[in-house]
Amino acid sequence: YLYNRGVRIINFEDDNLFYNRAHSLELFELLSYYHNKGVSYTAMNGITAVNLRPVVQKAIAAGFIEFNLSLVSSSKNVVSSLNRPLFFEAIEEIARASVGIVEVLVFVILGLPQDSPVEVVKSMKLLMDLSVKVGVSPLYLLPDIEMFQQLGLPEDDRLLRGSALYKFGEKFSREDIVSIWKYARMYNALLE
């Protein structure tokens, strides 16, 4: 349908897109068919790196032109406090297989209460060493989620948006978040 409507780039926004290997292999066959007709694909919204790693070459061959991955942080303490695994090795492998072929953008989160500006910059440096683009996502608070309730939600609901750059805990200021964001944009501009 999309091909017949003239669409030539299709974006997938499911972070678990490549979770089911058998389904992924079937999907690649279909995508390859349309890629041979001029369609390309992007995988955004923080694709889970450990799911992409075993099929990265097949994804590239099927026509993917961008991978958007989520690191969150390279600090074991930070990711374990969020009950998340550390995906840095998977991101490293994807970067080696993709850089120069497919655009790779890897996101860190700014403002996590267990994190600090220094730790975020360390995570960014590791990503820069891989020659991938660095994305930054300011933490935004969501009501009814335990971690955010512990931080104390602002009374003004407008401050819950990511664009508000609400002050998170004691370690981050709004200025820290804006400065790190600018640092990432400057680095990404130099890659182009």
Side-chain angles (χ1 to χ4, degrees):
Y1 173 80
L2 293 174
Y3 176 77
N4 290 333
R5 302 291 293 181
V7 173
R8 295 300 177 258
I9 296 180
I10 298 172
N11 175 38
F12 291 90
E13 289 279 332
D14 182 356
D15 56 339
N16 284 309
L17 177 63
F18 305 113
Y19 175 74
N20 181 318
R21 183 107 18 101
H23 179 264
S24 295
L25 296 176
E26 284 181 37
L27 178 65
F28 294 145
E29 283 185 41
L30 175 65
L31 298 181
S32 292
Y33 173 80
Y34 285 99
H35 180 58
N36 291 332
K37 293 178 163 230
V39 179
S40 297
Y41 313 99
T42 60
M44 297 188 178
N45 196 30
I47 299 298
T48 304
V50 293
N51 296 338
L52 174 58
R53 175 177 45 188
V55 296
V56 67
Q57 295 294 348
K58 291 186 184 309
I60 293 169
F64 279 87
I65 59 173
E66 182 177 342
F67 298 130
N68 173 307
L69 308 170
S70 176
L71 175 63
V72 176
S73 173
S74 65
S75 165
K76 289 179 185 174
N77 293 335
V78 172
V79 294
S80 67
S81 72
L82 300 170
N83 295 319
R84 288 181 61 109
L86 183 58
F87 293 139
F88 189 75
E89 286 181 15
I91 289 170
E92 233 176 346
E93 287 182 40
I94 292 166
R96 277 196 301 269
S98 304
V99 170
I101 304 168
V102 173
E103 184 171 309
V104 179
L105 174 65
V106 184
F107 276 84
V108 295
I109 296 179
L110 304 178
L112 291 166
Q114 305 81 352
D115 214 349
S116 70
V118 170
E119 286 300 320
V120 170
V121 171
K122 285 181 186 176
S123 294
M124 292 171 67
K125 173 72 171 99
L126 288 171
L127 295 173
M128 291 171 180
D129 289 345
L130 298 177
S131 298
V132 298
K133 287 191 172 185
V134 177
V136 293
S137 178
L139 179 65
Y140 51 92
L141 305 177
L142 301 169
D144 298 327
I145 298 205
E146 186 178 334
M147 179 181 95
F148 299 138
Q149 298 295 355
Q150 292 170 358
L151 285 175
L153 296 174
E155 289 185 25
D156 184 348
D157 288 348
R158 292 176 298 173
L159 296 175
L160 297 173
R161 298 184 315 249
S163 60
L165 301 177
Y166 183 71
K167 185 179 177 318
F168 309 100
E170 299 302 314
K171 296 179 184 174
F172 282 89
S173 68
R174 292 179 85 213
E175 291 78 12
D176 292 332
I177 292 169
V178 170
S179 296
I180 292 169
W181 206 332
K182 285 182 179 179
Y183 177 51
R185 290 187 67 144
M186 233 180 352
Y187 163 75
N188 292 338
L190 294 173
L191 275 182
E192 293 181 4

